[in-house]
């Protein structure tokens, strides 16, 4: 009965490759997010979707492309991977968009990406 | 200046101790505030929201000072299981959560 799930949990790949990370939530939430947590532990938002519509798009290289086929899924595709992309990527969901005050976000277990 | 600043620690305390973490935020228009907990190699989870009047949940007390743009978390009677990183989180006026770097707590027997 996992709430927010991500696959894969670990991803090791070579520079220049293209890879995808998948995220699914079974909480019935309308809003989903992608975060990046770097080696210094800062957690930063990358994208947010509400009902399959992009609502937050931070300054992220356009090699990163999110896709939301339905409101329960938000996938992240990364082209031409670089060494600096190595990080832990967390998917999250919430019932309402972030701007709606006290609104808990539920995080997936994370995908640890290592680019060699 | 970072939008949300925390002392990264680590704070090393004995079981039973009381420990306090502080956090400052730069955007005076921020509307909602949280403490999340992140265990080693795990995802963040909401510990508690922080309301203007201050709030308590068992051994945990959160305070907000809007004038000083300052948030605190007090943990009483620390347990070994409290060892984790505590993330101060602010809902920015642009509708996104801004996370602090986190404060690492290690509770020793």
């Amino acid at each position: 009965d996992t709430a927010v799930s991500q696959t894969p949990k670990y991803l090791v790949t070579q520079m220049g490759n293209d890879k995808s990370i998948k995220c699914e939530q079974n909480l019935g939430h309308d809003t989903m997010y992608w975060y990046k947590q770097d080696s210094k532990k800062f957690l930063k938002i990358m994208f947010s979707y509400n009902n399959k519509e992009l609502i937050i798009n931070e300054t992220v290289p356009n090699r990163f492309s999110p896709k939301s086929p339905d409101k329960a899924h938000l996938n992240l595709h990364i082209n031409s991977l670089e060494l600096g992309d190595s990080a832990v990527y967390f998917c999250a969901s919430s019932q309402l968009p972030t701007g709606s005050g006290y609104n808990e976000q539920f995080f997936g277990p994370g995908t640890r990406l290592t680019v060699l | 200046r970072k939008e949300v600043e925390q002392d990264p620690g680590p704070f090393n305390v004995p079981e039973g101790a009381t420990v306090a973490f502080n956090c400052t935020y730069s955007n005076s228009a921020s509307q909602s505030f949280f403490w999340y907990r992140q265990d080693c190699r795990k995802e963040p989870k909401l510990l508690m929201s922080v309301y203007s009047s201050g709030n308590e949940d068992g051994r945990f007390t959160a305070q907000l000072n809007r004038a000083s743009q300052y948030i605190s978390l007090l943990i009483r009677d620390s347990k070994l299981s409290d060892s984790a990183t505590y993330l101060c989180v602010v809902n920015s006026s642009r509708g996104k959560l801004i996370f602090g770097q986190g404060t690492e707590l290690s509770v020793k027997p």
Side-chain angles (χ1 to χ4, degrees):
Chain A
D1 58 346
T2 307
V4 183
S5 58
Q6 294 179 230
T7 53
K9 195 165 182 182
Y10 298 96
L11 187 51
V12 181
T13 188
Q14 299 284 337
M15 256 192 335
N17 283 351
D18 302 339
K19 290 292 178 187
S20 291
I21 307 171
K22 295 188 175 182
C23 177
E24 176 180 0
Q25 54 94 4
N26 62 6
L27 297 167
H29 288 166
D30 284 346
T31 309
M32 295 185 73
Y33 312 82
W34 277 110
Y35 286 87
K36 178 180 179 181
Q37 188 168 39
D38 60 25
S39 57
K40 293 185 178 176
K41 307 295 184 189
F42 278 104
L43 197 65
K44 289 185 182 173
I45 189 157
M46 300 172 71
F47 302 102
S48 173
Y49 272 72
N50 184 53
N51 252 322
K52 302 194 299 175
E53 186 181 330
L54 182 66
I55 54 171
I56 293 175
N57 183 354
E58 286 299 286
T59 310
V60 175
N62 57 15
R63 300 182 294 104
F64 290 78
S65 50
K67 275 201 170 58
S68 183
D70 55 62
K71 71 175 194 177
H73 294 84
L74 181 62
N75 303 323
L76 184 65
H77 188 75
I78 316 169
N79 287 328
S80 304
L81 278 154
E82 300 177 358
L83 294 176
D85 297 332
S86 295
V88 182
Y89 291 84
F90 286 101
C91 177
S93 74
S94 62
Q95 192 161 12
L96 298 169
T98 306
S100 310
Y102 285 91
N103 184 24
E104 180 178 359
Q105 290 191 13
F106 294 81
F107 285 79
T111 295
R112 191 170 293 273
L113 171 65
T114 303
V115 182
L116 303 174
Chain B
R1 184 185 169 187
K2 295 191 187 83
E3 291 186 76
V4 178
E5 293 210 55
Q6 293 182 252
D7 179 350
F11 283 58
N12 297 306
V13 303
E15 265 188 294
T18 295
V19 62
F21 305 138
N22 303 319
C23 164
T24 56
Y25 61 95
S26 60
N27 185 347
S28 59
S30 300
Q31 291 299 312
S32 48
F33 309 88
F34 311 87
W35 284 100
Y36 275 70
R37 170 191 169 135
Q38 186 172 23
D39 291 300
C40 189
R41 300 180 79 85
K42 298 282 190 181
E43 72 272 23
K45 292 184 180 177
L46 180 66
L47 176 68
M48 58 196 300
S49 301
V50 187
Y51 302 112
S52 295
S53 52
N55 47 297
E56 191 173 303
D57 183 1
R59 298 181 293 108
F60 299 85
T61 300
Q63 298 277 353
L64 169 64
N65 183 324
R66 284 188 185 271
S68 304
Q69 293 177 209
Y70 170 98
I71 305 159
S72 65
L73 176 68
L74 183 78
I75 306 175
R76 288 181 299 279
D77 188 23
S78 300
K79 312 287 185 198
L80 296 176
S81 57
D82 293 335
S83 297
T85 296
Y86 291 82
L87 303 166
C88 177
V89 186
V90 173
N91 189 346
S92 78
S93 57
R94 289 177 293 155
K96 61 180 185 178
L97 292 187
I98 308 296
F99 286 76
Q101 186 181 4
T103 297
E104 186 183 339
L105 172 66
S106 180
V107 182
K108 308 286 189 192

